[in-house]
């Protein structure tokens, strides 16, 4: 199974959300989780390396791709083998769209797209959606409201929600701004962090495993 976290816009908390998701699913599945950091910023892998000195065991391994690995991802047979594997392959792809990412997107079983309601984020999310349409993806797009301010009133939310719902599944729950998520590690999910993402991830997992 291939699950990809992707979006056109950086700064929406994509990698933090991907770390939280990898941690969360490790709590209930016996499947091996393989994280591939395919973002040029390498934030996921750097966090994994930084956590080496923290007590506790890693929940999964995070790998960077060599040039040879990247070429291999362009091979449909390689990607198909990942799709058919009993293991979970979680890709964190870059916040900009390059041709090399097309193969991962085209072979993903599920694509998680975090977004917020700023004008810049909305426009970039639509760019990402249009790319996915050009690729004629068969995978499902799942839109996650992320870093949402509970006290804010987003004037463009109704219109944006309607538009996103035309192109995939807009999760009903949201991930709200929480300081606890800024201290997340790749070795554990604290009780507070779990509560911050539980509703969204339970809804997402239900959609994935029941689809």
């Amino acid at each position: 199974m291939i699950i990809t976290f992707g979006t056109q816009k950086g700064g929406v908390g994509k990698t933090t959300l991907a770390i939280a998701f990898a941690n969360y699913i490790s709590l209930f599945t016996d499947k091996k989780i393989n994280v591939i950091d395919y973002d040029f910023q390498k934030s996921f892998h750097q966090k994994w390396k930084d956590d080496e000195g923290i007590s506790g065991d890693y929940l999964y391994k995070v790998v960077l791709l060599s040039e040879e690995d990247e070429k291999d991802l362009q091979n449909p047979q390689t990607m198909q083998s990942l799709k058919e594997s009993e293991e979970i392959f979680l890709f964190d792809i870059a916040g900009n769209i390059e041709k090399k990412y097309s193969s991962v997107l085209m072979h993903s079983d599920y694509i998680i797209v975090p977004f917020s309601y700023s004008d810049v984020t909305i426009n970039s999310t639509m760019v990402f959606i249009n790319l996915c349409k050009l690729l004629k993806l068969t995978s499902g797009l799942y839109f996650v409201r992320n870093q949402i301010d509970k006290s804010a009133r987003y004037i463009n939310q109704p219109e944006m929600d309607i538009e996103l719902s035309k192109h995939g599944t807009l999760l009903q729950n949201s991930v709200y701004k929480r300081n606890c998520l800024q201290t997340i590690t790749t070795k554990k999910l604290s009780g507070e962090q779990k509560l911050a993402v539980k509703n969204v991830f339970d809804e997402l997992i239900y959609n994935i495993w029941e689809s």
Side-chain angles (χ1 to χ4, degrees), residues 153-159:
R153 178 174 176 267
Y154 298 104
I155 298 175
N156 55 6
Q157 179 172 352
E159 180 182 356

Side-chain angles (χ1 to χ4, degrees), residues 96-174:
N96 60 9
I97 299 305
E98 297 181 23
K99 184 178 180 180
K100 66 180 182 178
Y101 300 120
S102 298
S103 179
V104 173
L105 290 170
M106 291 175 67
H107 289 90
S108 294
D109 295 291
Y110 309 97
I111 300 173
I112 317 303
V113 186
F115 75 96
S116 63
Y117 289 108
S118 71
D119 289 341
V120 174
T121 302
I122 288 172
N123 290 336
S124 61
T125 300
M126 292 310 301
V127 169
F128 185 81
I129 289 172
N130 288 332
L131 170 73
C132 292
K133 289 170 66 176
L134 286 174
L135 294 175
K136 298 180 180 180
L137 302 184
T138 58
S139 50
L141 293 175
Y142 292 84
F143 300 103
V144 179
R145 302 180 186 90
N146 198 34
Q147 298 180 337
I148 299 299
D149 186 344
K150 271 189 174 183
S151 63
R153 178 174 176 267
Y154 298 104
I155 298 175
N156 55 6
Q157 179 172 352
E159 180 182 356
M160 186 63 178
D161 286 355
I162 291 172
E163 185 62 30
L164 291 180
S165 296
K166 296 176 183 177
H167 305 286
T169 301
L170 173 62
L171 300 189
Q172 296 303 306
N173 292 288
S174 303

Side-chain angles (χ1 to χ4, degrees), residues 22 45 64 76 83-84 93 113 128 130 160 183 185 199 209:
H45 184 265
L64 295 176
K83 284 177 68 72
E84 295 174 355
I93 66 173
V113 186
F128 185 81
N130 288 332
M160 186 63 178
T183 59
T185 75
N199 290 341
W209 264 261

Side-chain angles (χ1 to χ4, degrees), residues 179-192:
N179 290 334
C180 65
L181 292 178
Q182 303 308 310
T183 59
I184 198 166
T185 75
T186 56
K187 288 190 173 182
K188 67 177 183 179
L189 200 63
S190 70
E192 187 178 8

